[in-house]
């Protein structure tokens, strides 16, 4: 069977999803999970884009040793230099260079002639080869490029030293048949093409990203780029979990395999969904909540008699487990640590200690502590703390059907000062958010508010997700507590803290505009 390399760009293209702003801890956790999942390459970011991007790529490259880490770079020396500084500590440094090759992009965006584009691409690859053992070259908007020109530039960058050639469908325009034909054309018309790896990168604007990626495999691609849950610019990228499972289930047809540990799929999907705040639709293939639910009586009957009557993918294959009670009031620190490790999280001693305190508090109020509860607590301890920003000390909310809802909030700011405010609203949550807005002394627009229970039962933990806009920055936040109002307050503070953190980072370095 042919081996297909999986190139994950959740942390680069995926992080470009509207409203997604991951912090360093979150990026590192996703990178570690991608390593566990068994992806071959992690695209960790765009090092020249900002200091924050640079630092995240550098830390990921230095942490992850089980696969290659790469970063995106325009075809200019300053980008390549920044990428090398960020990536040189990695196990297998590789650079992802790109330049646009379609007439529309060359004329309107780059304002360069085709000859100038070829020259820029070739000299960038040559310059990158001085540092990087592996250089991947991408023809941005390849699918709207003229094929003879695409073949010409690909031949020249191969000659200059590129060893992976990526053919992105940047705008999600191509159909499976046409996409396959581009790969065939290049294989038939480019010298030395057999010496390089061909890569597919598809967007889902017409809902064909996964189908296009699979067509590319049929026509000689040996690398697939995509993201977990298919998140990404606009309608998103190709969903890697769908491609991996399709190759596995239909190996009779594709005769190709990946290195992925499919049992890590569900966990990876959950982690990415929670950290990015991007919800997985219930009917999403492979990882949706309903992907394995059989509703019709005839189907249920069939599955009970013989699973394969209606089930082509078993839930166990992708790591879906029914939620079992694992810990309770009498569980000790040791049991907690073991379970945290089994769930795949790495926590420092100090974090475990704090988690244990929260766990005990929860166990006093809630009989069964499920894995989902534990994960919610881990998230709070590990990712939702912004030590240098606002912290919730206490809330008090008064509500009655014949009263005006009123909230009192006490916060501490990064310097440890206590802030106390009170306000009213037409409902409890509004009163709470009006009060918090006073504490922050800035306008906050609430764009979205969602609440869900972490597990079943009346004593379940509440998890609130919000999306806010502050000073033109859109970001999401989340909060967990046993009470819905406390969870609501935490989510709001979490989102606003993220905005302040982004602003602080922007102050520290002037963000380069990405063209
Ligand atoms: Zn893309």
């Amino acid at each position: 069977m042919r081996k297909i390399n999986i190139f994950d760009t959740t942390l680069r293209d995926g992080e470009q999803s509207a409203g997604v702003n991951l912090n360093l801890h979150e990026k590192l956790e996703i990178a570690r999970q991608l390593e566990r999942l068994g992806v071959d390459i992690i695209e960790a970011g765009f090092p020249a884009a900002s200091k924050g991007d640079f630092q995240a790529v550098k830390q990921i490259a230095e942490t992850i040793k089980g696969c290659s880490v790469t970063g995106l770079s325009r075809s200019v020396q300053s980008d390549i230099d920044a990428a090398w500084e960020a990536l040189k500590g990695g196990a297998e440094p590789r650079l992802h260079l790109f330049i646009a090759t379609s007439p529309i992009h060359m004329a309107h965006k780059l304002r360069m002639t085709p000859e100038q584009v070829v020259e820029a691409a070739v000299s960038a690859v040559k310059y990158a080869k001085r540092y990087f053992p592996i250089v991947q070259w991408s023809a941005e908007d390849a699918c709207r490029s003229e094929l003879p020109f695409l073949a010409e530039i690909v031949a020249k960058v191969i000659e200059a030293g590129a060893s992976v050639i990526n053919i992105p469908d940047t705008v999600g325009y191509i159909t499976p048949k046409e996409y396959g034909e581009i790969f065939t054309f290049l294989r038939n018309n480019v010298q030395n093409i057999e010496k390089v790896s061909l890569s597919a990168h598809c967007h889902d604007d017409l809902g064909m990203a996964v189908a296009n990626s699979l067509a590319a495999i049929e026509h000689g691609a040996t690398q697939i780029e995509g993201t977990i849950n298919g998140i990404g610019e606009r309608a998103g990228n190709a969903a890697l979990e769908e491609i991996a499972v399709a190759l596995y289930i239909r190996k009779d047809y594709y005769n190709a395999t990946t290195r992925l540990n499919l049992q890590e799929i569900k966990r990876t999907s959950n982690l990415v969904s929670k950290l990015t705040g991007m919800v997985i639709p219930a009917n999403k293939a492979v990882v949706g909540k309903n992907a394995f639910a059989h509703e019709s009586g005839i189907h249920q009957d069939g599955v009970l008699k013989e699973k394969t009557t209606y089930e082509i993918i078993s839930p166990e294959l992708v790591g879906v487990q029914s939620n079992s009670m694992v810990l309770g009031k009498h569980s000790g620190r040791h049991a907690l640590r073991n379970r945290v490790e089994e769930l795949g999280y790495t926590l420092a001693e100090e974090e475990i200690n704090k988690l244990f305190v929260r766990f005990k508090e929860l166990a006093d109020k809630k009989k069964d502590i499920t894995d989902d509860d534990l994960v919610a607590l881990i998230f709070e301890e590990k990712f939702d703390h912004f030590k240098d920003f606002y912290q919730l000390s206490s809330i008090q909310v008064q509500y009655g059907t014949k009263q005006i809802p009123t909230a009192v909030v006490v916060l501490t700011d990064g310097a440890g000062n206590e802030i106390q405010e009170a306000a009213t609203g037409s409902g409890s949550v509004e009163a709470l958010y009006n009060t918090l807005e006073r504490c922050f002394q800035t306008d906050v627009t609430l764009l979205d508010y969602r609440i869900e229970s972490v597990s079943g039962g009346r004593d379940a933990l509440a998890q609130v997700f919000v999306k806010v806009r502050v000073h033109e920055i859109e970001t999401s936040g989340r909060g967990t507590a046993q009470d819905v109002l406390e969870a609501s307050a935490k989510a709001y503070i979490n989102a606003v803290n993220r905005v302040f953190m982004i602003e602080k980072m922007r102050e520290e370095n002037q963000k380069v505009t990405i063209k």
Side-chain angles (χ1 to χ4, degrees), residues 49-161:
S50 72
K51 204 161 140 192
D53 258 45
F54 176 88
Q55 271 159 355
V57 176
K58 188 168 158 67
Q59 279 244 18
I60 292 168
E62 284 165 5
T63 308
I64 302 298
K65 298 297 167 202
C67 62
S68 179
V69 175
T70 190
L72 189 67
S73 164
R74 289 171 298 187
S75 299
V76 292
Q77 291 195 357
S78 55
D79 273 28
I80 300 169
D81 292 339
W84 175 245
E85 279 309 307
L87 292 163
K88 65 183 178 189
E92 190 191 47
R94 75 168 69 196
L95 185 68
H96 182 190
L97 273 176
F98 77 96
I99 195 161
T101 55
S102 64
I104 187 166
H105 275 235
M106 290 191 291
H108 299 287
K109 189 183 75 170
L110 296 175
R111 299 209 170 106
M112 287 163 86
T113 63
E115 295 72 37
Q116 287 171 322
V117 170
V118 172
E119 200 190 305
V122 166
S123 67
V125 172
K126 281 188 181 155
Y127 185 73
K129 277 302 279 183
R130 290 200 218 161
Y131 305 112
F132 288 90
I134 301 171
V135 173
Q136 163 169 330
W137 183 82
S138 280
E140 190 190 7
D141 204 17
C143 295
R144 293 192 297 174
S145 304
E146 284 163 6
L147 280 181
F149 177 66
L150 192 61
E152 178 200 331
I153 194 167
V154 166
K156 293 207 168 126
V157 294
I158 293 175
E159 201 186 313

Side-chain angles (χ1 to χ4, degrees), residues 13 201 203 237:
D13 224 336
H201 176 115
H203 280 269
N237 288 59

Side-chain angles (χ1 to χ4, degrees), residues 9 12-13 16 168-170 201-203 225 233-234 236-237:
T9 184
R12 205 274 301 163
D13 224 336
Q16 282 173 232
D169 180 23
T170 307
H201 176 115
C202 298
H203 280 269
E225 305 192 6
E233 282 270 358
R234 308 182 311 277
N237 288 59

Side-chain angles (χ1 to χ4, degrees), residues 186-202:
L186 293 175
R187 285 171 71 203
N188 290 336
N189 292 283
V190 175
Q191 228 188 357
N192 292 326
I193 195 98
E194 67 287 349
K195 293 185 180 145
V196 302
S197 170
L198 288 177
S199 172
H201 176 115
C202 298

